[in-house]
Coordinates of all heavy atoms in Angstrom, one line a residue:
M1 N -38.9 50.0 23.0 CA -37.5 49.5 22.8 C -37.5 48.2 22.1 O -38.3 47.3 22.3 CB -36.9 49.1 24.3 CG -36.2 50.2 24.9 SD -35.6 49.5 26.5 CE -34.0 50.1 26.4
S2 N -36.6 48.0 21.1 CA -36.5 46.9 20.4 C -35.6 45.8 21.1 O -34.7 46.2 21.8 CB -35.9 47.1 18.9 OG -34.6 47.6 19.0
P3 N -35.9 44.6 20.9 CA -35.2 43.5 21.6 C -33.8 43.5 21.0 O -33.4 43.7 19.9 CB -35.8 42.2 21.3 CG -36.8 42.5 20.1 CD -37.0 44.0 20.1
R4 N -32.8 43.5 21.9 CA -31.5 43.4 21.6 C -30.9 42.0 21.3 O -31.2 41.1 22.2 CB -30.7 44.1 22.7 CG -29.2 44.5 22.3 CD -28.6 45.2 23.4 NE -27.9 44.4 24.3 CZ -27.3 44.7 25.4 NH1 -27.3 46.0 25.7 NH2 -26.7 43.9 26.1
T5 N -30.3 41.8 20.2 CA -29.8 40.4 19.9 C -28.2 40.4 20.3 O -27.6 41.4 20.1 CB -29.9 40.1 18.4 OG1 -29.2 41.0 17.7 CG2 -31.4 40.0 18.1
T6 N -27.9 39.3 20.7 CA -26.4 39.2 21.1 C -25.9 38.1 20.2 O -26.5 37.1 19.9 CB -26.2 38.8 22.6 OG1 -26.9 37.6 22.9 CG2 -26.8 40.0 23.5
T7 N -24.6 38.3 19.9 CA -23.9 37.2 19.2 C -22.7 36.8 20.0 O -22.2 37.5 20.9 CB -23.4 37.7 17.8 OG1 -22.6 38.9 18.1 CG2 -24.5 38.2 16.9
A8 N -22.4 35.6 19.7 CA -21.2 35.1 20.5 C -20.0 35.8 20.1 O -19.8 36.2 18.9 CB -21.0 33.6 20.2
P9 N -19.1 36.1 21.0 CA -17.9 36.9 20.7 C -17.0 36.0 19.7 O -17.0 34.8 19.7 CB -17.1 37.0 22.0 CG -17.8 36.0 22.9 CD -19.2 35.7 22.5
S10 N -16.3 36.7 18.8 CA -15.4 36.0 17.9 C -14.3 35.3 18.7 O -13.9 35.9 19.8 CB -14.7 37.0 17.0 OG -15.8 37.6 16.1
P11 N -13.9 34.1 18.3 CA -12.8 33.5 19.0 C -11.5 34.4 18.9 O -11.2 35.1 18.0 CB -12.6 32.1 18.4 CG -13.2 32.3 17.0 CD -14.3 33.4 17.2
A12 N -10.7 34.3 20.0 CA -9.4 35.0 20.0 C -8.5 34.4 18.9 O -8.6 33.2 18.6 CB -8.8 34.9 21.3
P13 N -7.7 35.2 18.3 CA -6.8 34.7 17.3 C -6.0 33.6 17.8 O -5.5 33.5 19.0 CB -5.9 35.9 17.0 CG -6.6 37.0 17.4 CD -7.5 36.6 18.6
G14 N -5.8 32.5 16.9 CA -5.0 31.3 17.3 C -5.8 30.3 18.1 O -5.3 29.4 18.7
T15 N -7.1 30.5 18.3 CA -7.9 29.5 19.0 C -8.9 28.8 18.0 O -9.3 29.3 17.0 CB -8.8 30.2 20.1 OG1 -9.7 31.2 19.6 CG2 -7.9 30.9 21.2
D16 N -9.3 27.7 18.4 CA -10.2 26.8 17.6 C -11.7 27.3 17.9 O -11.9 27.9 18.9 CB -10.1 25.3 18.1 CG -10.9 24.4 17.2 OD1 -12.0 24.7 16.8 OD2 -10.3 23.3 16.9
T17 N -12.5 27.3 17.0 CA -14.0 27.7 17.1 C -14.7 26.7 18.0 O -16.0 27.0 18.2 CB -14.6 27.9 15.8 OG1 -14.7 26.6 15.1 CG2 -14.0 28.9 14.9
G18 N -14.1 25.7 18.5 CA -14.8 24.7 19.3 C -15.4 23.5 18.5 O -16.2 22.7 19.0
T19 N -15.2 23.5 17.2 CA -15.7 22.5 16.4 C -14.8 21.3 16.1 O -15.1 20.3 15.5 CB -16.0 23.1 15.0 OG1 -14.8 23.6 14.4 CG2 -17.0 24.2 15.0
G20 N -13.5 21.4 16.7 CA -12.6 20.4 16.5 C -12.0 20.3 15.0 O -11.3 19.4 14.7
T21 N -12.2 21.4 14.4 CA -11.6 21.5 13.0 C -10.3 22.2 13.0 O -9.6 22.1 11.9 CB -12.6 22.3 12.1 OG1 -12.7 23.6 12.6 CG2 -14.0 21.6 12.0
G22 N -10.0 22.9 14.0 CA -8.7 23.7 13.9 C -9.0 25.1 13.3 O -8.0 25.9 13.2
A23 N -10.1 25.3 12.9 CA -10.5 26.6 12.2 C -10.6 27.7 13.2 O -10.9 27.5 14.4 CB -11.8 26.4 11.4
H24 N -10.4 28.9 12.7 CA -10.5 30.1 13.6 C -11.6 31.0 13.3 O -11.9 31.9 14.0 CB -9.2 30.9 13.5 CG -8.0 30.1 13.8 ND1 -7.7 29.7 15.1 CD2 -6.9 29.6 13.1 CE1 -6.5 29.1 15.2 NE2 -6.1 29.0 14.0
T25 N -12.5 30.5 12.3 CA -13.7 31.3 12.0 C -14.8 30.3 11.8 O -14.6 29.1 11.3 CB -13.6 32.2 10.8 OG1 -13.4 31.3 9.6 CG2 -12.4 33.1 10.9
P26 N -16.0 30.6 12.1 CA -17.2 29.7 11.8 C -17.3 29.4 10.4 O -17.6 28.2 10.0 CB -18.4 30.5 12.3 CG -17.9 31.5 13.3 CD -16.5 31.8 12.8
E27 N -17.0 30.3 9.5 CA -17.0 30.0 8.0 C -16.1 28.9 7.7 O -16.4 27.9 7.0 CB -16.8 31.3 7.2 CG -17.8 32.3 7.4 CD -17.7 33.2 8.7 OE1 -16.6 33.2 9.3 OE2 -18.7 33.9 9.0
A28 N -14.8 29.1 8.1 CA -13.8 28.0 7.8 C -14.2 26.7 8.5 O -14.0 25.7 7.8 CB -12.4 28.5 8.3
A29 N -14.8 26.8 9.6 CA -15.2 25.5 10.3 C -16.3 24.8 9.5 O -16.2 23.5 9.3 CB -15.7 25.8 11.7
G30 N -17.2 25.6 8.9 CA -18.2 25.0 8.1 C -17.7 24.3 6.8 O -18.0 23.2 6.4
I31 N -16.7 25.0 6.1 CA -16.1 24.5 5.0 C -15.4 23.2 5.3 O -15.5 22.2 4.6 CB -15.2 25.6 4.3 CG1 -16.0 26.7 3.8 CG2 -14.3 24.9 3.2 CD1 -15.3 28.0 3.3
I32 N -14.6 23.2 6.4 CA -13.8 22.0 6.8 C -14.8 20.9 7.1 O -14.5 19.8 6.7 CB -12.9 22.4 8.0 CG1 -11.7 23.4 7.5 CG2 -12.3 21.1 8.6 CD1 -11.0 24.0 8.6
H33 N -15.8 21.1 7.8 CA -16.8 20.1 8.1 C -17.3 19.5 7.0 O -17.4 18.3 6.8 CB -17.9 20.7 9.1 CG -19.0 19.8 9.4 ND1 -18.8 18.8 10.2 CD2 -20.3 19.7 8.8 CE1 -20.0 18.0 10.2 NE2 -20.8 18.5 9.4
D34 N -17.7 20.3 6.0 CA -18.4 19.8 4.8 C -17.2 19.0 3.9 O -17.6 17.9 3.4 CB -18.9 20.9 3.9 CG -20.1 21.6 4.4 OD1 -20.7 21.1 5.4 OD2 -20.4 22.7 3.9
A35 N -16.1 19.5 3.9 CA -14.9 18.8 3.2 C -14.7 17.4 3.9 O -14.5 16.5 3.1 CB -13.8 19.7 3.0
R36 N -14.7 17.4 5.2 CA -14.5 16.2 5.9 C -15.6 15.2 5.6 O -15.3 13.9 5.5 CB -14.3 16.4 7.4 CG -13.0 17.0 7.8 CD -12.9 17.2 9.3 NE -11.6 17.7 9.6 CZ -11.3 18.1 10.9 NH1 -12.2 18.1 11.9 NH2 -10.0 18.5 11.1
Q37 N -16.8 15.6 5.5 CA -17.9 14.6 5.1 C -17.6 14.1 3.7 O -17.9 12.9 3.6 CB -19.3 15.4 5.2 CG -19.7 15.6 6.6 CD -21.2 16.1 6.6 OE1 -21.5 17.0 5.8 NE2 -22.0 15.6 7.4
R38 N -17.2 15.0 2.9 CA -16.9 14.4 1.5 C -15.8 13.4 1.5 O -15.8 12.4 0.8 CB -16.5 15.6 0.6 CG -16.4 15.1 -0.8 CD -16.5 16.2 -1.8 NE -16.3 15.8 -3.1 CZ -15.6 16.3 -4.1 NH1 -14.9 17.3 -3.8 NH2 -15.5 15.7 -5.3
I39 N -14.8 13.7 2.3 CA -13.7 12.7 2.4 C -14.2 11.4 3.0 O -13.8 10.3 2.5 CB -12.4 13.3 3.3 CG1 -11.7 14.4 2.4 CG2 -11.6 12.2 3.8 CD1 -10.6 15.1 3.2
D40 N -15.0 11.5 4.1 CA -15.6 10.3 4.5 C -16.3 9.5 3.6 O -16.2 8.2 3.5 CB -16.4 10.6 5.8 CG -15.7 11.1 7.0 OD1 -14.4 10.9 7.1 OD2 -16.3 11.7 8.0
D41 N -17.1 10.1 2.7 CA -17.8 9.5 1.7 C -16.8 8.9 0.7 O -17.1 7.7 0.2 CB -18.8 10.5 0.9 CG -19.9 11.0 1.8 OD1 -20.2 10.3 2.8 OD2 -20.6 12.0 1.4
L42 N -15.9 9.6 0.2 CA -14.8 9.0 -0.7 C -14.1 7.9 0.0 O -14.0 6.8 -0.7 CB -13.8 10.1 -1.0 CG -14.4 11.3 -1.9 CD1 -13.3 12.4 -1.9 CD2 -14.6 10.7 -3.3
D43 N -13.8 7.9 1.3 CA -13.1 6.8 1.9 C -14.0 5.6 1.9 O -13.5 4.4 1.6 CB -12.7 7.1 3.3 CG -11.5 8.1 3.4 OD1 -10.8 8.2 2.4 OD2 -11.3 8.7 4.5
G44 N -15.3 5.8 2.1 CA -16.3 4.6 2.1 C -16.2 4.0 0.7 O -16.3 2.8 0.5
R45 N -16.3 4.8 -0.4 CA -16.2 4.3 -1.7 C -14.9 3.6 -2.0 O -14.9 2.6 -2.7 CB -16.5 5.5 -2.7 CG -17.9 6.0 -2.6 CD -18.2 7.2 -3.4 NE -17.7 7.3 -4.7 CZ -17.4 8.4 -5.5 NH1 -17.8 9.6 -4.9 NH2 -17.0 8.4 -6.6
I46 N -13.8 4.2 -1.6 CA -12.5 3.6 -1.8 C -12.4 2.2 -1.1 O -12.0 1.2 -1.8 CB -11.4 4.5 -1.3 CG1 -11.2 5.7 -2.2 CG2 -10.1 3.7 -1.3 CD1 -10.4 6.9 -1.7
I47 N -12.9 2.1 0.0 CA -12.9 0.8 0.8 C -13.8 -0.2 0.0 O -13.4 -1.3 -0.2 CB -13.4 1.0 2.2 CG1 -12.3 1.7 3.0 CG2 -13.7 -0.4 2.9 CD1 -12.8 2.2 4.4
G48 N -14.9 0.2 -0.5 CA -15.7 -0.7 -1.3 C -15.0 -1.1 -2.5 O -15.1 -2.3 -2.9
L49 N -14.3 -0.2 -3.1 CA -13.6 -0.6 -4.4 C -12.5 -1.5 -4.1 O -12.2 -2.5 -4.8 CB -13.1 0.7 -5.1 CG -14.1 1.5 -5.8 CD1 -13.6 2.9 -6.2 CD2 -14.8 0.8 -6.9
V50 N -11.8 -1.3 -3.0 CA -10.7 -2.2 -2.6 C -11.3 -3.6 -2.4 O -10.7 -4.7 -2.7 CB -9.9 -1.7 -1.4 CG1 -9.0 -2.8 -0.8 CG2 -9.2 -0.5 -1.8
Q51 N -12.4 -3.7 -1.7 CA -13.0 -5.0 -1.4 C -13.4 -5.7 -2.7 O -13.3 -6.9 -2.8 CB -14.2 -4.8 -0.5 CG -13.8 -4.4 1.0 CD -15.0 -4.0 1.8 OE1 -16.0 -3.5 1.4 NE2 -14.8 -4.2 3.1
E52 N -14.0 -4.9 -3.6 CA -14.3 -5.4 -4.9 C -13.1 -6.0 -5.6 O -13.1 -7.0 -6.3 CB -15.0 -4.3 -5.7 CG -15.5 -4.9 -7.1 CD -16.3 -3.8 -7.9 OE1 -16.7 -2.7 -7.3 OE2 -16.5 -4.0 -9.1
R53 N -12.0 -5.1 -5.6 CA -10.7 -5.6 -6.2 C -10.3 -6.9 -5.6 O -9.8 -7.7 -6.3 CB -9.7 -4.5 -6.0 CG -8.4 -4.8 -6.8 CD -7.3 -3.8 -6.3 NE -6.2 -3.8 -7.2 CZ -5.3 -4.7 -7.4 NH1 -5.4 -5.9 -6.7 NH2 -4.4 -4.7 -8.3
M54 N -10.3 -7.1 -4.3 CA -10.0 -8.3 -3.6 C -10.7 -9.5 -4.1 O -10.2 -10.5 -4.3 CB -10.1 -8.1 -2.1 CG -9.1 -7.1 -1.5 SD -9.5 -6.6 0.2 CE -9.4 -8.2 1.0
A55 N -12.0 -9.2 -4.3 CA -12.9 -10.3 -4.8 C -12.5 -10.8 -6.2 O -12.5 -12.0 -6.5 CB -14.4 -9.9 -4.6
V56 N -12.3 -9.8 -7.1 CA -11.9 -10.1 -8.5 C -10.6 -10.8 -8.5 O -10.4 -11.8 -9.2 CB -11.9 -8.8 -9.3 CG1 -11.3 -9.0 -10.6 CG2 -13.3 -8.2 -9.4
S57 N -9.6 -10.3 -7.6 CA -8.3 -11.0 -7.7 C -8.5 -12.4 -7.2 O -7.8 -13.3 -7.7 CB -7.4 -10.2 -6.7 OG -6.1 -10.8 -6.6
A58 N -9.4 -12.7 -6.2 CA -9.6 -14.1 -5.7 C -10.0 -15.0 -6.9 O -9.6 -16.2 -7.0 CB -10.6 -14.1 -4.6
V59 N -10.9 -14.5 -7.7 CA -11.4 -15.2 -8.9 C -10.2 -15.5 -9.8 O -10.1 -16.6 -10.3 CB -12.5 -14.4 -9.7 CG1 -12.8 -15.1 -11.0 CG2 -13.8 -14.3 -8.8
I60 N -9.4 -14.6 -10.1 CA -8.2 -14.8 -10.9 C -7.3 -15.8 -10.3 O -6.9 -16.7 -11.1 CB -7.5 -13.4 -11.2 CG1 -8.3 -12.4 -12.0 CG2 -6.1 -13.6 -11.9 CD1 -7.8 -11.0 -12.0
Q61 N -7.0 -15.7 -9.1 CA -6.1 -16.6 -8.5 C -6.6 -18.0 -8.5 O -6.0 -19.0 -8.7 CB -5.8 -16.2 -7.0 CG -5.0 -14.9 -6.9 CD -4.8 -14.4 -5.5 OE1 -4.5 -15.3 -4.6 NE2 -5.1 -13.2 -5.2
R62 N -7.9 -18.2 -8.2 CA -8.7 -19.4 -8.2 C -8.5 -20.1 -9.5 O -8.2 -21.3 -9.7 CB -10.1 -19.3 -7.8 CG -10.8 -20.6 -7.6 CD -12.2 -20.5 -7.0 NE -13.0 -19.6 -7.7 CZ -13.4 -18.4 -7.2 NH1 -13.0 -18.0 -5.9 NH2 -14.2 -17.5 -7.9
E63 N -8.8 -19.3 -10.6 CA -8.7 -19.9 -12.0 C -7.3 -20.2 -12.4 O -7.0 -21.2 -13.0 CB -9.3 -18.8 -13.0 CG -10.8 -18.8 -12.8 CD -11.6 -20.1 -12.9 OE1 -11.3 -20.8 -13.9 OE2 -12.4 -20.3 -12.1
R64 N -6.3 -19.3 -12.0 CA -4.9 -19.6 -12.3 C -4.5 -20.9 -11.6 O -3.8 -21.7 -12.3 CB -4.1 -18.4 -11.9 CG -2.7 -18.5 -12.4 CD -1.8 -17.4 -12.0 NE -2.2 -16.0 -12.4 CZ -2.4 -15.1 -11.5 NH1 -2.2 -15.2 -10.2 NH2 -2.9 -13.9 -11.9
L65 N -4.8 -21.1 -10.4 CA -4.4 -22.2 -9.7 C -5.0 -23.5 -10.2 O -4.4 -24.5 -10.3 CB -4.7 -22.1 -8.2 CG -3.8 -21.2 -7.4 CD1 -4.3 -20.9 -5.9 CD2 -2.4 -21.7 -7.3
S66 N -6.4 -23.4 -10.5 CA -7.1 -24.6 -11.0 C -6.6 -25.0 -12.4 O -6.8 -26.1 -12.8 CB -8.6 -24.4 -11.0 OG -8.9 -23.4 -12.0
S67 N -6.0 -24.1 -13.1 CA -5.4 -24.4 -14.4 C -4.0 -24.8 -14.3 O -3.4 -25.0 -15.4 CB -5.7 -23.3 -15.4 OG -4.8 -22.2 -15.1
G68 N -3.5 -24.9 -13.1 CA -2.1 -25.4 -13.0 C -1.1 -24.2 -12.9 O 0.2 -24.5 -12.9
G69 N -1.6 -23.1 -12.9 CA -0.6 -21.9 -12.8 C -0.3 -21.6 -11.4 O -0.6 -22.2 -10.5
R70 N 0.6 -20.5 -11.2 CA 0.9 -20.1 -9.9 C 0.0 -19.1 -9.3 O -0.7 -18.4 -10.0 CB 2.3 -19.4 -10.0 CG 3.4 -20.4 -10.5 CD 4.7 -19.7 -10.6 NE 5.1 -19.3 -9.2 CZ 6.3 -19.0 -8.8 NH1 7.3 -19.0 -9.7 NH2 6.5 -18.7 -7.5
R71 N -0.1 -19.0 -8.0 CA -1.0 -18.0 -7.4 C -0.7 -16.6 -7.7 O -1.6 -15.8 -7.9 CB -0.9 -18.3 -5.8 CG -1.8 -17.4 -5.0 CD -1.7 -17.6 -3.6 NE -2.6 -16.9 -2.9 CZ -3.7 -17.3 -2.3 NH1 -4.1 -18.6 -2.4 NH2 -4.5 -16.5 -1.7
V72 N 0.6 -16.2 -7.8 CA 1.0 -14.8 -8.0 C 1.7 -14.7 -9.4 O 2.5 -15.6 -9.7 CB 1.9 -14.4 -6.9 CG1 2.4 -13.0 -7.2 CG2 1.3 -14.4 -5.5
N73 N 1.3 -13.7 -10.1 CA 2.0 -13.4 -11.4 C 2.8 -12.2 -11.2 O 2.3 -11.0 -11.2 CB 0.8 -13.2 -12.4 CG 1.5 -12.9 -13.7 OD1 2.5 -12.5 -14.0 ND2 0.6 -13.2 -14.8
L74 N 4.1 -12.4 -10.9 CA 5.0 -11.3 -10.6 C 5.1 -10.2 -11.7 O 5.2 -9.1 -11.4 CB 6.4 -11.8 -10.2 CG 6.4 -12.6 -9.0 CD1 7.8 -13.1 -8.7 CD2 5.9 -11.9 -7.7
S75 N 5.1 -10.7 -13.0 CA 5.2 -9.7 -14.0 C 4.0 -8.8 -14.0 O 4.1 -7.6 -14.3 CB 5.4 -10.3 -15.4 OG 4.3 -11.1 -15.8
R76 N 2.8 -9.3 -13.8 CA 1.6 -8.5 -13.7 C 1.7 -7.5 -12.5 O 1.3 -6.4 -12.6 CB 0.3 -9.4 -13.6 CG -0.9 -8.7 -13.2 CD -1.4 -7.7 -14.4 NE -2.7 -7.2 -14.1 CZ -3.1 -6.0 -14.5 NH1 -2.2 -5.3 -15.2 NH2 -4.2 -5.6 -14.1
E77 N 2.2 -8.0 -11.4 CA 2.4 -7.1 -10.2 C 3.3 -5.9 -10.5 O 3.1 -4.8 -10.1 CB 2.8 -7.9 -9.0 CG 1.7 -8.8 -8.5 CD 2.0 -9.4 -7.1 OE1 3.0 -9.1 -6.5 OE2 1.1 -10.1 -6.6
M78 N 4.4 -6.2 -11.2 CA 5.3 -5.2 -11.6 C 4.6 -4.2 -12.5 O 4.8 -2.9 -12.4 CB 6.6 -5.7 -12.4 CG 7.4 -6.7 -11.5 SD 7.9 -5.9 -9.9 CE 9.1 -4.6 -10.6
E79 N 3.7 -4.5 -13.4 CA 2.9 -3.7 -14.2 C 2.1 -2.8 -13.3 O 2.0 -1.5 -13.6 CB 2.1 -4.4 -15.2 CG 2.7 -5.1 -16.3 CD 1.7 -5.9 -17.1 OE1 0.5 -5.7 -17.0 OE2 2.2 -6.8 -17.9
I80 N 1.4 -3.3 -12.3 CA 0.6 -2.6 -11.4 C 1.4 -1.6 -10.7 O 1.1 -0.4 -10.5 CB -0.1 -3.6 -10.5 CG1 -1.2 -4.3 -11.3 CG2 -0.9 -2.7 -9.4 CD1 -1.8 -5.6 -10.6
L81 N 2.5 -2.0 -10.1 CA 3.4 -1.1 -9.4 C 3.9 0.1 -10.2 O 3.9 1.3 -9.8 CB 4.6 -1.8 -8.8 CG 4.4 -2.8 -7.7 CD1 5.5 -3.7 -7.5 CD2 3.9 -2.1 -6.5
A82 N 4.2 -0.3 -11.4 CA 4.7 0.9 -12.4 C 3.5 1.8 -12.7 O 3.8 3.1 -12.7 CB 5.2 0.3 -13.6
H83 N 2.3 1.3 -12.9 CA 1.2 2.1 -13.1 C 0.9 3.1 -12.0 O 0.7 4.3 -12.2 CB 0.0 1.3 -13.5 CG -1.3 2.1 -13.8 ND1 -1.5 2.8 -14.9 CD2 -2.4 2.2 -13.1 CE1 -2.6 3.4 -14.9 NE2 -3.2 3.1 -13.8
Y84 N 0.9 2.6 -10.8 CA 0.6 3.4 -9.6 C 1.7 4.5 -9.5 O 1.4 5.6 -9.1 CB 0.4 2.6 -8.4 CG -1.0 2.1 -8.2 CD1 -1.6 1.1 -9.0 CD2 -1.9 2.8 -7.3 CE1 -2.8 0.6 -8.9 CE2 -3.2 2.3 -7.1 CZ -3.6 1.2 -7.9 OH -4.9 0.8 -7.7
R85 N 2.9 4.1 -9.6 CA 4.1 5.0 -9.5 C 3.9 6.1 -10.6 O 4.1 7.2 -10.3 CB 5.4 4.2 -9.7 CG 6.6 5.2 -9.5 CD 7.9 4.5 -9.8 NE 7.9 4.1 -11.2 CZ 8.0 2.8 -11.7 NH1 8.1 1.8 -10.8 NH2 7.9 2.6 -13.0
D86 N 3.7 5.8 -11.8 CA 3.5 6.7 -12.9 C 2.4 7.7 -12.6 O 2.5 8.9 -12.9 CB 3.3 6.1 -14.2 CG 4.5 5.3 -14.6 OD1 5.6 5.4 -14.1 OD2 4.4 4.4 -15.6
Q87 N 1.3 7.3 -12.0 CA 0.2 8.1 -11.7 C 0.3 8.9 -10.5 O -0.2 10.0 -10.4 CB -1.2 7.3 -11.7 CG -1.4 6.6 -13.1 CD -1.7 7.6 -14.2 OE1 -2.4 8.6 -14.1 NE2 -1.0 7.5 -15.3
L88 N 0.8 8.3 -9.5 CA 0.9 9.0 -8.1 C 2.3 9.3 -7.5 O 2.4 9.7 -6.4 CB 0.1 8.1 -7.1 CG -1.4 7.8 -7.5 CD1 -2.0 6.8 -6.5 CD2 -2.2 9.1 -7.5
G89 N 3.3 9.0 -8.3 CA 4.6 9.2 -7.8 C 5.0 8.1 -6.9 O 4.4 7.1 -6.7
R90 N 6.1 8.4 -6.1 CA 6.7 7.3 -5.2 C 5.7 6.8 -4.2 O 5.6 5.6 -4.0 CB 7.9 8.0 -4.6 CG 8.7 7.0 -3.9 CD 10.1 7.6 -3.5 NE 10.7 6.7 -2.5 CZ 11.9 7.0 -2.1 NH1 12.6 8.0 -2.6 NH2 12.5 6.1 -1.2
P91 N 4.9 7.5 -3.6 CA 3.9 7.0 -2.6 C 2.9 6.1 -3.4 O 2.3 5.2 -2.7 CB 3.1 8.3 -2.1 CG 4.1 9.4 -2.3 CD 4.8 9.1 -3.6
G92 N 2.7 6.2 -4.6 CA 1.8 5.3 -5.4 C 2.3 3.9 -5.4 O 1.5 3.0 -5.3
T93 N 3.6 3.8 -5.3 CA 4.2 2.4 -5.2 C 3.8 1.8 -3.9 O 3.4 0.6 -3.8 CB 5.7 2.5 -5.3 OG1 6.1 3.1 -6.5 CG2 6.4 1.0 -5.3
A94 N 3.8 2.5 -2.8 CA 3.5 1.9 -1.5 C 2.0 1.6 -1.5 O 1.6 0.6 -0.9 CB 3.8 2.9 -0.4
L95 N 1.2 2.4 -2.1 CA -0.2 2.2 -2.2 C -0.5 0.9 -2.9 O -1.3 0.0 -2.6 CB -1.0 3.4 -2.8 CG -2.4 3.2 -3.0 CD1 -3.2 2.9 -1.7 CD2 -3.1 4.4 -3.7
A96 N 0.2 0.8 -4.1 CA 0.0 -0.4 -4.9 C 0.5 -1.7 -4.2 O -0.2 -2.7 -4.2 CB 0.8 -0.3 -6.2
M97 N 1.6 -1.6 -3.5 CA 2.0 -2.7 -2.7 C 1.0 -3.1 -1.6 O 0.8 -4.4 -1.5 CB 3.3 -2.4 -1.9 CG 4.6 -2.3 -2.8 SD 4.9 -3.9 -3.6 CE 5.4 -4.9 -2.2
T98 N 0.4 -2.2 -1.0 CA -0.7 -2.5 0.0 C -1.9 -3.2 -0.7 O -2.4 -4.1 -0.2 CB -1.2 -1.2 0.8 OG1 0.0 -0.7 1.4 CG2 -2.2 -1.5 1.7
L99 N -2.3 -2.7 -1.8 CA -3.5 -3.2 -2.6 C -3.1 -4.7 -3.0 O -3.9 -5.5 -2.9 CB -3.8 -2.4 -3.8 CG -4.5 -1.1 -3.5 CD1 -4.5 -0.2 -4.8 CD2 -5.8 -1.3 -2.9
L100 N -1.9 -4.9 -3.5 CA -1.4 -6.2 -3.9 C -1.4 -7.2 -2.8 O -1.9 -8.3 -2.8 CB -0.1 -6.1 -4.6 CG -0.1 -5.4 -6.0 CD1 1.4 -5.3 -6.4 CD2 -0.9 -6.3 -7.0
E101 N -1.0 -6.7 -1.6 CA -1.0 -7.5 -0.4 C -2.3 -7.9 0.1 O -2.7 -9.1 0.4 CB -0.3 -6.8 0.7 CG -0.1 -7.6 2.0 CD 0.6 -6.8 3.1 OE1 1.2 -5.7 2.8 OE2 0.6 -7.4 4.2
L102 N -3.3 -6.9 0.0 CA -4.6 -7.2 0.4 C -5.3 -8.1 -0.6 O -6.1 -9.0 -0.2 CB -5.5 -5.9 0.4 CG -5.2 -5.0 1.6 CD1 -5.8 -3.6 1.4 CD2 -5.8 -5.6 2.8
S103 N -5.0 -8.0 -1.9 CA -5.6 -8.8 -2.9 C -5.1 -10.2 -3.1 O -5.8 -11.1 -3.6 CB -5.5 -8.1 -4.3 OG -6.1 -6.8 -4.2
R104 N -3.9 -10.4 -2.6 CA -3.4 -11.8 -2.7 C -4.0 -12.8 -1.8 O -4.0 -13.9 -2.0 CB -1.9 -11.7 -2.3 CG -1.0 -11.2 -3.3 CD 0.5 -11.4 -2.9 NE 1.4 -10.4 -3.6 CZ 2.0 -9.5 -3.1 NH1 2.0 -9.4 -1.8 NH2 2.8 -8.7 -3.8
G105 N -4.6 -12.3 -0.7 CA -5.1 -13.2 0.3 C -4.0 -13.9 1.1 O -2.8 -13.4 1.0
Q106 N -4.4 -15.0 1.7 CA -3.3 -15.8 2.4 C -2.6 -16.6 1.5 O -3.1 -17.4 0.7 CB -4.0 -16.6 3.5 CG -4.7 -15.8 4.6 CD -5.2 -16.6 5.7 OE1 -5.3 -17.8 5.6 NE2 -5.6 -16.0 6.8
I107 N -1.3 -16.5 1.5 CA -0.4 -17.4 0.6 C 0.1 -18.5 1.5 O 0.5 -18.4 2.6 CB 0.7 -16.4 0.1 CG1 0.2 -15.4 -0.8 CG2 1.7 -17.3 -0.6 CD1 1.2 -14.5 -1.4

């Protein structure tokens, strides 16, 4: 007699595979898991870029203030808002506002 192999039963329709992905098949769960890892990696890179942007903005503000200028350049901020809106639509404006707020530091 050959050994009999058993496989786990397929999940019932409308149920999660137990992976926390919301997927209904192991294949979909694997794809979602891999995609989530990629998103986590991208988020880490985005956060690093935002921190770099904040540091560069601090240099600009310091130089502007030390030369007698104002801390914030509103016309430049309007350019940034327009650029994000043009590239990402209306939500881009909100994203740009958040980036500007983070980059201004304490006023």
Side-chain angles (χ1 to χ4, degrees):
M1 268 180 134
S2 64
R4 196 169 89 181
T5 59
T6 59
T7 58
S10 297
T15 60
D16 191 316
T17 61
T19 61
T21 63
H24 300 292
T25 66
E27 294 80 15
I31 291 168
I32 291 168
H33 174 75
D34 292 347
R36 284 182 175 173
Q37 281 188 317
R38 185 160 182 229
I39 285 175
D40 290 346
D41 291 343
L42 289 167
D43 284 344
R45 290 170 45 200
I46 291 167
I47 290 167
L49 289 170
V50 169
Q51 291 170 332
E52 184 178 348
R53 186 191 196 288
M54 291 166 62
V56 171
S57 182
V59 169
I60 292 168
Q61 290 175 50
R62 185 174 52 248
E63 291 304 312
R64 191 182 303 124
L65 286 170
S66 70
S67 69
R70 299 181 63 163
R71 180 181 183 104
V72 176
N73 183 333
L74 294 177
S75 63
R76 173 67 177 147
E77 290 195 357
M78 294 306 292
E79 289 174 16
I80 293 166
L81 290 169
H83 178 68
Y84 274 77
R85 183 190 62 241
D86 292 347
Q87 295 300 309
L88 301 172
R90 192 169 165 171
T93 303
L95 177 59
M97 287 295 294
T98 300
L99 288 171
L100 290 170
E101 182 179 352
L102 286 167
S103 296
R104 282 187 204 118
Q106 294 184 350
I107 295 179

